[in-house]
Amino acid sequence: MDFTVIDAALIGKLLLLLLIGMGPKIALVPFLEKTHAFDTETKVRIGRKMVLTALVTALILFATGALLMRLLHITGGAVAVAGGIILALIAIKMAAGPTEKPHDELTAPVDPDKLAVFPLAVPYLLNPVGITVIVLASGEVVSVASAAVVTALILVVGAFDYLVFTNIDTLAKRMKPASMVVSEVVFGILLTAVAIQLIVTGLGNLGIIAPAAAH
């Protein structure tokens, strides 16, 4: 990402990446599966804590990402490869479709607050794409204005997540199970491609393979 010129194309690209990286789509099905036994009030509490945890984590990563990369002596290429590998694991599971699990399989009560933080906030809501994009953006911003743009977009996506997950029961009633399964598989395949692209880009930045020619 080139932050020397802030235009609509840059903002649109960054917003799309953040919607993939910390938008509601990847977290939606896991949220419904893991909170089905809770009442509406508890689901709202879980959704609120999940979104706030992911949002605060994203802002901290953006504020400290460049410093962490320097302290740990890692490059943007290494971050992209790592993010791509973890994303591929999540995406392949999505593309494989749902597995049959009895809803009463839990043998111990689940702490809603812990569930909201892991695995719902991270790595489902703030997923490897989001972490990678935010850390890389942290190292590439060149001005207060560019930092403000990234921060504002993170907040916009966080507000959208909050709206979705604090009204989840209302939205769930309008979701057809068959459509959700199909969209989950399709999105899983697309995310697998994104994961591969992250890995290829990272390997190119590391000089391990030749960078792909721009089209």
Side-chain angles (χ1 to χ4, degrees), residues 129-194:
V129 173
I131 294 171
T132 300
V133 169
I134 290 168
V135 171
L136 293 179
S138 176
E140 294 177 5
V141 291
V142 294
S143 64
V144 173
S146 57
V149 167
V150 177
T151 302
L153 291 177
I154 291 174
L155 292 173
V156 167
V157 175
F160 179 54
D161 291 334
Y162 190 88
L163 182 64
V164 169
F165 288 103
T166 55
N167 294 278
I168 194 66
D169 273 355
T170 302
L171 294 174
K173 291 175 182 177
R174 302 187 179 187
M175 298 175 187
K176 296 181 179 179
S179 299
M180 288 183 62
V181 170
V182 171
S183 68
E184 186 82 349
V185 172
V186 171
F187 200 67
I189 294 171
L190 295 175
L191 281 180
T192 304
V194 172

Side-chain angles (χ1 to χ4, degrees), residues 14-28 50-62 87 120-135 150-162 164-165 187 191:
L14 188 55
L15 178 60
L16 178 60
L17 289 172
L18 287 174
L19 283 171
I20 296 173
M22 60 178 292
K25 180 62 182 94
I26 295 178
L28 185 58
M50 175 185 72
V51 172
L52 292 178
T53 299
L55 181 59
V56 170
T57 303
L59 293 173
I60 291 174
L61 277 176
F62 181 57
L87 178 64
L120 293 180
V122 181
Y124 283 121
L125 188 57
L126 179 59
N127 63 61
V129 173
I131 294 171
T132 300
V133 169
I134 290 168
V135 171
V150 177
T151 302
L153 291 177
I154 291 174
L155 292 173
V156 167
V157 175
F160 179 54
D161 291 334
Y162 190 88
V164 169
F165 288 103
F187 200 67
L191 281 180

